[in-house]
Amino acid sequence: MSRNVRELRCTPEDVFRVLGDGWLYPSWVVGASRMREVDEAWPQEGAELHHSVGVWPLLINDKTVVEQCDPPRRLVLRAHGWPLGEARVTIDVKPRGERCVVRIQEEPIAGPGMLVPTPIMDVLLHWRNDETLHRLAYLAEGMGQRSAEQSTGEREMQANGQKGPKKG
């Protein structure tokens, strides 16, 4: 099982504001390329997102189903990604002062992906979910209440010698 952890400069509620908007799914999930439909009940248990994975014209239509939702602490998804199979993705969010810590765990649970040796699968999932948390941080921090502290994006731009937006 692959595990990634990242500290975000926002609240757990800010993170769940992003997770709770199914139309944002391809914005933060690496591999998801577009949304086709979002259940009105999203992100309640049993609700589905209908998305596509891949790059046009090689797109596969699939879905993700909520197995458990406890905002703003936990979201458990069953992500379908055929022909590779299915995975259980658990996102835990814990407050840490004015920030929060987000942990994402992913494990194959059905299909050919389960035949990949665990150490190899963990490396691939770790790399993918590192970028997934990076994208989630951009969205959650950008949508959250702005503090005097730099967001993940602002900090990275400064480290690269770029100027970020001026704060009001």
Side-chain angles (χ1 to χ4, degrees):
M1 175 185 320
S2 173
R3 288 184 182 95
N4 294 68
V5 178
R6 184 179 184 111
E7 184 176 81
L8 279 63
R9 290 171 168 77
C10 62
T11 66
E13 290 78 12
D14 295 327
V15 173
F16 264 81
R17 198 170 295 122
V18 174
L19 299 178
D21 185 342
W23 291 103
L24 292 176
Y25 189 77
S27 299
W28 60 273
V29 174
V30 173
S33 55
R34 67 179 180 196
M35 289 306 305
R36 296 177 294 116
E37 183 181 0
V38 177
D39 280 358
E40 285 185 30
W42 184 267
Q44 296 173 19
E45 193 171 312
E48 297 181 354
L49 292 177
H50 298 270
H51 54 81
S52 301
V53 295
V55 178
W56 186 90
L58 304 173
L59 292 168
I60 298 170
N61 292 333
D62 233 318
K63 68 180 179 179
T64 294
V65 181
V66 177
E67 290 187 342
Q68 181 185 358
C69 185
D70 181 20
R73 292 179 284 280
R74 179 172 242 217
L75 181 64
V76 180
L77 305 171
R78 183 179 186 114
H80 297 235
W82 291 94
L84 296 176
E86 299 175 16
R88 177 163 294 110
V89 180
T90 303
I91 302 169
D92 291 303
V93 185
K94 294 183 179 179
R96 181 178 283 173
E98 293 182 11
R99 301 177 180 191
C100 66
V101 175
V102 180
R103 180 182 69 185
I104 185 168
Q105 298 180 111
E106 183 171 356
E107 62 183 323
I109 56 172
M114 293 186 67
L115 301 175
V116 177
T118 300
I120 293 171
M121 183 60 80
D122 283 353
V123 167
L124 295 172
L125 291 175
H126 187 82
W127 172 80
R128 175 181 175 267
N129 287 329
D130 188 52
E131 176 62 20
T132 292
L133 284 178
H134 195 102
R135 294 176 184 191
L136 182 59
Y138 282 157
L139 290 167
E141 291 173 355
M143 293 173 74
Q145 295 294 322
R146 297 305 305 258
S147 69
E149 209 174 348
Q150 286 184 320
S151 70
T152 298
E154 291 166 335
R155 192 176 67 245
E156 289 173 2
M157 289 175 72
Q158 184 179 38
N160 292 325
Q162 300 170 326
K163 291 184 180 181
K166 293 183 179 183
K167 293 187 178 184

